[in-house]
Each structure stands twice: as C-alpha cells, then as structure tokens.
Amino acid sequence: MHCLCCHRELLPEEEFVCLECLLSFPLVNSADPQNPLWAKLSGQIAFEHATTFAYYEHGDKFTMLPRKAKYEGQPRINAYLTRQLLQRLEGSGWPYDIDAIIPVPIHWTRLLQRGYNQAAPIARTLSKAWHIPEETSCLKRVKSMRSQLKAEEAERGDIFKEVFKVRHPERLKGKHVLLVDDICTTGSTLCACGKELLEVSGLRLSVLTLGMTLSV
C-alpha cells in the first residue's frame, strides 16, 4: 500500500499515510480546552467542550484525506484520522462525562447515493475507544440541501432551519451528548444540529470534528 498523500510505499507500521506526511499536517492543539474549534463555535451555540484534529485548508496534505473519505468511497480513512485524534486527546480529560455519541446525519437520498455517512466511522471509532454508545436514530436530516448549495453565506443560517429533527427525545433526556462530524466550515451544520438537540430536556452538548477551516 502507498501513502495517499505522497504515494511512497508505506512501512508495515504505517497506515494510509507515511509518518513524514502525518507530521506535516496542520495540527491543532486538540487537548487545549480552548482550541480553535472551541473558539469558532463560541457564541454560536451553547456547548461544554469542543475539539478538532487539524486545519482543513485547500492544497494541504491533510485536506486530501477527508475528501477521499467523503467522495471516493474510503470511509475507513475517517476511522484512521479519529484514532490519530484519540492519541492527541490522551490525558486531556476527554471524553469527560459524555453519555452518547451522535454523528451528524446526512439525508437519505445522499446516503443512498454515497452508501455511507462520512461521520459514522468517526462516531463508531470513538464509541469503541471510549465505551460510550452511539445514538444513530435520534437525529435525522429531514431536508436535502442540494438545491441550496449556492446560497450566499449570509443566508446559511436560514437555510438550515428545520433541516434536522430529533427523534426519540426520551433517549437523550438529561444526557451529555457528543455531536461529531468530519469538517467544520462555518459551523452552520453543527449549530443547526445542536440547537435541535438542545431542545431536549436537560441535554448538554459537546462537539468533535476531524478538521476545521480558517478561511470562513
């Protein structure tokens, strides 16, 4: 197998990317309680903890990996990146007192087309490592965004209204929920999901992604 970034043949102990490329990723100080994702979401939504793995910027090596996971049928890449993030969170306090992990859902038409939700391997990997259950049926995407992708950024908040709906709120009542996704750009998707979840009585929210943009 060859490195997905530089195409060099991988060593037995390497997976998906070589050590040289891994060390070149624009990593975030994930263990810092006030890391860049925390700062980006602050003021947009009520949450307790937030963290991410790396900056997601056009042209860098890291950006290739979530894109391959999302668009080229390689969701296992996101599981690999999640394991890398877990290493950086060791001894940091994570996963705190989180009770359930929820991947940001995609619309059923996109799921049918792609065959998988790119956030699912992230949630599954965290669930296995932390022994915290996933809740994959409590948050649903009920509206597709295909016709709205070209909207102006200023309108994105309105676009995301009523896109997500909570199902079986009794399963989440009083729980600390971790919402996970692959990439945070504006934060609109995470905030739309979070606002729906926070309608559940006593629910507390934290957020985790693999990457985040600086330019938006």
Side-chain angles (χ1 to χ4, degrees):
M1 185 174 179
H2 292 80
C3 175
L4 295 177
C5 297
C6 70
H7 308 294
R8 179 180 68 74
E9 187 172 355
L10 294 177
L11 300 174
E13 64 271 20
E14 295 173 334
E15 185 180 7
F16 290 111
V17 298
C18 67
L19 181 59
E20 183 177 350
C21 287
L22 180 61
L23 292 174
S24 75
F25 289 171
L27 299 180
V28 169
N29 184 2
S30 305
D32 182 355
Q34 297 185 2
N35 63 75
L37 183 63
W38 180 91
K40 186 165 197 169
L41 295 178
S42 292
Q44 295 194 61
I45 192 170
F47 67 94
E48 295 194 6
H49 309 284
T51 193
T52 191
F53 178 57
Y55 294 113
Y56 183 90
E57 293 296 318
H58 179 72
D60 66 48
K61 291 181 178 180
F62 168 75
T63 300
M64 298 171 57
L65 300 182
R67 290 187 63 84
K68 284 180 178 292
K70 188 171 185 176
Y71 299 115
E72 297 182 21
Q74 300 189 60
R76 290 193 305 120
I77 294 173
N78 280 351
Y80 161 76
L81 292 174
T82 306
R83 291 193 295 273
Q84 297 300 315
L85 174 55
L86 281 166
Q87 291 182 22
R88 296 180 61 78
L89 293 177
E90 288 182 2
S92 67
W94 282 88
Y96 299 102
D97 59 347
I98 289 165
D99 301 301
I101 301 171
I102 297 181
V104 169
I106 61 175
H107 194 258
W108 69 267
T109 55
R110 186 62 54 83
L111 184 62
L112 188 65
Q113 178 187 44
R114 189 176 297 157
Y116 57 88
N117 175 0
Q118 68 275 4
I122 306 170
R124 192 175 308 119
T125 303
L126 294 173
S127 175
K128 289 180 180 178
W130 287 338
H131 307 288
I132 297 172
E134 293 178 76
E135 283 287 359
T136 58
S137 60
C138 289
L139 185 65
K140 294 293 182 182
R141 189 166 197 149
V142 296
K143 191 182 295 184
S144 175
M145 302 294 290
R146 288 180 180 176
S147 62
Q148 299 164 322
L149 289 176
K150 294 183 179 180
E152 295 295 330
E153 291 297 329
E155 299 173 347
R156 290 189 67 160
D158 291 334
I159 285 171
F160 277 87
K161 286 180 180 178
E162 300 181 351
V163 170
F164 302 97
K165 292 294 181 185
V166 171
R167 310 294 192 198
H168 313 294
E170 68 279 0
R171 297 185 191 174
L172 303 177
K173 186 176 179 180
K175 290 188 174 181
H176 185 182
V177 169
L178 178 64
L179 181 67
V180 304
D181 205 3
D182 57 346
I183 304 299
C184 172
T185 51
T186 64
S188 296
T189 299
L190 292 169
C191 289
C193 289
K195 287 175 182 177
E196 289 296 324
L197 289 168
L198 288 167
E199 292 295 320
V200 176
S201 176
L203 185 141
R204 298 152 56 210
L205 181 71
S206 289
V207 181
L208 180 149
T209 69
L210 295 180
M212 61 166 284
T213 63
L214 281 172
S215 55
V216 178

